[in-house]
Amino acid sequence: MTSDTATEAKPGLRPIVDYLIMPNENSVEGAYLRGLQCKSESCRTVFLYAPTRRFCAVCNGKDEDQFSTVRLSDEGEVWVYTVVHQSWPGIPTPFVGGIIDVGVEGDAEAKVAVRANIVGVEADPKNLRMGMKVRGKAAVAHKDKDGNDVVVWHFEPA
Amino acid sequence: MNNESLRDVYVGGVGMIKFGRYPEENVATLGAQAVQLALADGGMQLNDIEMMAAGCLYQTNMIGQKILKEMGMTGIPVYNVANACATGSTAFREAYFAVGSGAYDIALAVGVEQMGKRGLLGGITGDPAYSPEGVMGTGTMPGVFGMAGLEHSRQYGTTIEQFAQVSVKNHEHAMANPLSQYQVRVSLEDVLNARMVAYPNTLYMCCPTGDGAAAAVVMSKEKAKQFSRELIKVAASALTTDPYTDRVLTFPDVNTMTVNAAREAYEQAGVSPQDLNSVELHDCFATAEVLHYENLQLAPKGEAGRWVDEKLTDLAGPQGDPRWTPVNTSGGLLSKGHPIGATGVANICEITWQLRGQAGDRQVPDHKAGMAHTIGLGSACAVHILTK
Ligand SMILES: [Zn+2]
């Protein structure tokens, strides 16, 4: 959101959340969600990636090297959803907001919940089902006032 | 929390202004009116108050002192409290501790809020182009509580009609409460056909925003005997936050902290759910009320929907049934209103009036014990039990 005025960064693609990682500067190709997994053997909790997380909110782990950086699966399952018809000025409605459980690459047991839109279906409860399988992908949602293309992660029925 | 080391605390006076919209007033003038009502109710003067806890979420800065500048600057210590939707309850709890500890004999809790037509809460700060709201799900309150309701549907098959019926009931209860922001009778069809805000919560299943203030004076037993017509005891005061549960950092868990606070409150009070004659619980959305029947142990796990069908929380429900416990006799947040800082204290007012037999046409017969519950996301949950 804040650009360094000294270097005058050119507008480009800007992920809306820290845990949406974009390996390509000029394309959403290859984008994925990143997590932080607690290394404590009895914990292994996965958090959505935040560059500033130092401690584990579950086991209070506080080692210098408490977390592994993990890649989250593109595949997910809808835990719950809602169809939002009234939102803030400037936010188009209706849209389907969901809580999606996704897996963690390299750990078959681990899961983390992601808040995201469910797209590719008409925004009507009759098209949605809790437990439905979905697949996530990155997309440009809109432009911000700095001219950046804002990139989001959303899910479609698998 | 172990409350055995605290001395007993009693409610000595309560008061609230009719919730509504008062654009010509400000938070200090609204709060002062509620304080005066509580003092008059308790038969005391501002000079009798030794300590004050003031709750306000959106204009927290020195609100207690501003109230005293409106009505009498007595130089007492003032605490200003903000704790999301549990703000008023937290102020009440601070007053409870002030007396329970023995440090003060008479303390005042006041909660106030002036929201106007604020509309939606949650989900966004600033320009939507920089917010994930609407493009990566939703954090607005109607959306979050819509999802929380569907989670119950997913687990137990609770229907949209059962959620909607809660709104019908609470609006009906409010018809007997002149202090309610809305006194509008609605049918199930009205609720189901109203504009959808966030599925499954329609407009009538979402609490309104508004302005309001409520106050309660608490005191030691000696002072209560001196001032009060009847001894209303604060038998429990519990406050919890979220423990870590699956998904909680992404999807607020409105259940676990309520379960924990209720369990602790029952222990403190030595009261069982069956002993409660009425409950004021946090029905910010119709879906929420259904979940809290189970969280507060009024209904067994998974049976909240049946509780709705059998009208077990309805003032007009089956009085002779041992499971009957009227919920939100005041009209609840859905109809009475939810000026955030005032809500927790207003719940205390309603339970006090029920215990004293002063609740008019919404009076629950032979009322001996009641519960007041609030939750705020982020998170804070308060449960108080009052007995006589
Ligand atoms: Zn850990």
Side-chain angles (χ1 to χ4, degrees), chain A residues 1 14 16 45 58 78-79 81-83 85-88 91 95 101 113 115-117 125 130-131 142 145-146, chain B residues 120 122 124 127-131 133-138 147 150-151 154 195-199 244 247 249-250:
Chain A
M1 189 183 339
R14 180 176 66 81
I16 190 85
T45 304
V58 177
V78 176
W79 175 247
Y81 69 88
T82 180
V83 182
H85 290 263
Q86 184 183 343
S87 189
W88 294 89
I91 294 180
F95 66 89
D101 290 338
R115 193 164 100 185
N117 281 17
M130 291 177 276
H142 52 251
K145 284 177 184 157
D146 302 313
Chain B
L120 284 174
I124 191 171
D127 187 334
Y130 297 88
S131 166
E133 180 62 32
V135 286
M136 284 192 70
T138 186
M147 291 191 286
L150 287 193
E151 186 176 47
R154 176 186 179 130
R195 180 166 61 79
M196 185 61 72
V197 177
Y199 183 80
Y244 184 83
R247 306 182 187 84
L249 294 177
T250 301

Side-chain angles (χ1 to χ4, degrees), chain B residues 25 107 109 175 233 263 321 333 345 347 385:
Chain B
E25 303 280 349
M175 298 304 290
K233 185 178 169 184
R263 185 187 298 131
D321 193 312
L333 282 57
V345 186
N347 288 352
I385 294 175

Side-chain angles (χ1 to χ4, degrees), chain B residues 259-288:
Chain B
V259 167
N260 291 349
R263 185 187 298 131
E264 189 185 324
Y266 286 126
E267 271 175 29
Q268 284 182 24
V271 157
S272 79
Q274 290 70 38
D275 297 328
L276 297 177
N277 301 106
S278 81
V279 173
E280 290 291 301
L281 65 72
H282 203 81
D283 60 325
C284 47
F285 296 89
T287 47

Side-chain angles (χ1 to χ4, degrees), chain B residues 14-77:
Chain B
V14 293
M16 63 178 275
I17 61 167
K18 179 179 166 68
F19 288 177
R21 300 198 202 281
Y22 301 99
E24 70 286 3
E25 303 280 349
N26 59 58
V27 279
T29 61
L30 294 173
Q33 292 176 64
V35 170
Q36 187 49 46
L37 288 167
L39 292 172
D41 177 64
M44 61 201 77
Q45 304 296 321
L46 190 59
N47 279 330
D48 295 315
I49 303 297
E50 300 168 4
M51 173 274 183
M52 175 185 196
C56 185
L57 187 59
Y58 290 111
Q59 299 177 61
T60 311
N61 193 13
M62 309 307 264
I63 177 60
Q65 290 87 336
K66 285 174 186 164
I67 290 170
L68 292 180
K69 284 173 189 167
E70 289 294 327
M71 62 188 313
M73 298 163 68
T74 56
I76 57 170

Side-chain angles (χ1 to χ4, degrees), chain B residues 74-122:
Chain B
T74 56
I76 57 170
V78 172
Y79 290 75
N80 294 300
V81 173
N83 216 7
C85 296
T87 290
S89 313
T90 306
F92 181 77
R93 186 173 148 91
E94 287 307 309
Y96 162 82
F97 278 130
V99 173
S101 70
Y104 301 98
D105 288 326
I106 306 185
L108 168 68
V110 55
V112 60
E113 207 73 56
Q114 192 174 34
M115 302 166 77
K117 294 197 171 191
R118 200 183 174 95
L120 284 174
L121 299 182

